[in-house]
Amino acid sequence: MPVAKGSTIDPARTRAAILEAAEPLLYERGLDGIGVAELCARLGVSKETLYRHFGTKDGLVRAMLESRSEKVGGWLASAVESAGDDPAEQLAAVFDALGEWYAQPAFRGCAMVNASAQHYDDEVRTITARHLQRYLDLFTGIAARAGAEDPAVLGRQLLMLVEGATVVAAMHDPAGVGGHARAAAVALLTAAT
């Protein structure tokens, strides 16, 4: 990310720009699908700049996963909020948003789960666990607002449903997966209340 003549160097902005540019590339190619030299060339930064901001490629990967998890959590929370006060509508909105994601040409599954499978590494697994906990908290909250008999159990069932749907959409056939998962989620919610 060359600095334009006459402008000042802003390390936070540089770090954010590297993360923004690296995220789609690492998601598309996989964590091991691109080496540091090619990554730096594609990002337009030197290895020195990459290492200065992230320490290692693994540091960049961890930062990218954290950033992506925050975005996904915010995106789904926004879908819930925009659905109004009805828990069934909130749940449907989550699965509608996921269905739209599944249909995108660049969809490659859950970046956190993919990373955890590629790098059986404690730090990546911790990031993935926190990401899944965000989903669980979201679903448990919806279940509680709906008056589910056991919101924690229903939250876990919905988490399993969303992760299973994401795998099926990525590995098998994305057509209709979001709608089928939505119907199953609403049925689970209705049965639990």
Side-chain angles (χ1 to χ4, degrees):
M1 320 267 146
V3 178
K5 189 172 185 167
S7 62
T8 58
I9 295 175
D10 180 348
R13 188 178 68 201
T14 300
R15 179 183 169 85
I18 292 170
L19 270 175
E20 186 178 328
E23 182 179 331
L25 185 59
L26 291 169
Y27 180 63
E28 176 188 344
R29 299 269 301 269
L31 305 182
D32 297 328
I34 188 166
V36 173
E38 183 184 357
L39 181 62
C40 288
R42 297 277 304 269
L43 298 176
V45 299
S46 68
K47 287 181 185 179
E48 179 184 343
T49 299
L50 180 78
Y51 295 145
R52 184 178 330 113
H53 289 282
F54 299 99
T56 62
K57 179 184 170 190
D58 286 342
L60 171 64
V61 165
R62 287 189 297 274
M64 182 275 295
L65 292 172
E66 291 282 5
S67 173
R68 188 170 177 101
S69 181
E70 288 291 326
K71 286 182 208 171
V72 169
W75 169 60
L76 292 178
S78 177
V80 167
E81 187 177 315
S82 68
D85 294 332
D86 180 14
E89 290 299 319
Q90 293 172 349
L91 186 59
V94 169
F95 282 89
D96 288 344
L98 291 168
E100 290 174 18
W101 177 45
Y102 299 160
Q104 293 177 2
F107 175 70
R108 302 283 185 274
C110 176
M112 305 319 130
V113 173
N114 293 348
S116 193
Q118 287 177 349
H119 283 259
Y120 206 75
D121 166 281
D122 286 341
E123 290 182 64
V124 169
R125 289 175 52 80
T126 298
I127 293 167
T128 301
R130 278 196 307 265
H131 177 73
L132 294 177
Q133 185 64 48
R134 280 189 179 103
Y135 273 163
L136 184 58
D137 292 344
L138 180 76
F139 291 137
T140 301
I142 291 171
R145 289 189 296 280
E149 186 176 313
D150 192 339
V153 168
L154 180 57
R156 289 186 66 79
Q157 291 170 335
L158 293 168
L159 173 64
M160 288 183 274
L161 179 60
V162 77
E163 286 305 312
T166 302
V167 169
V168 169
M171 300 297 171
H172 182 60
D173 181 9
V177 172
H180 296 304
R182 179 190 200 268
V186 172
L188 279 171
L189 183 68
T190 301
T193 55

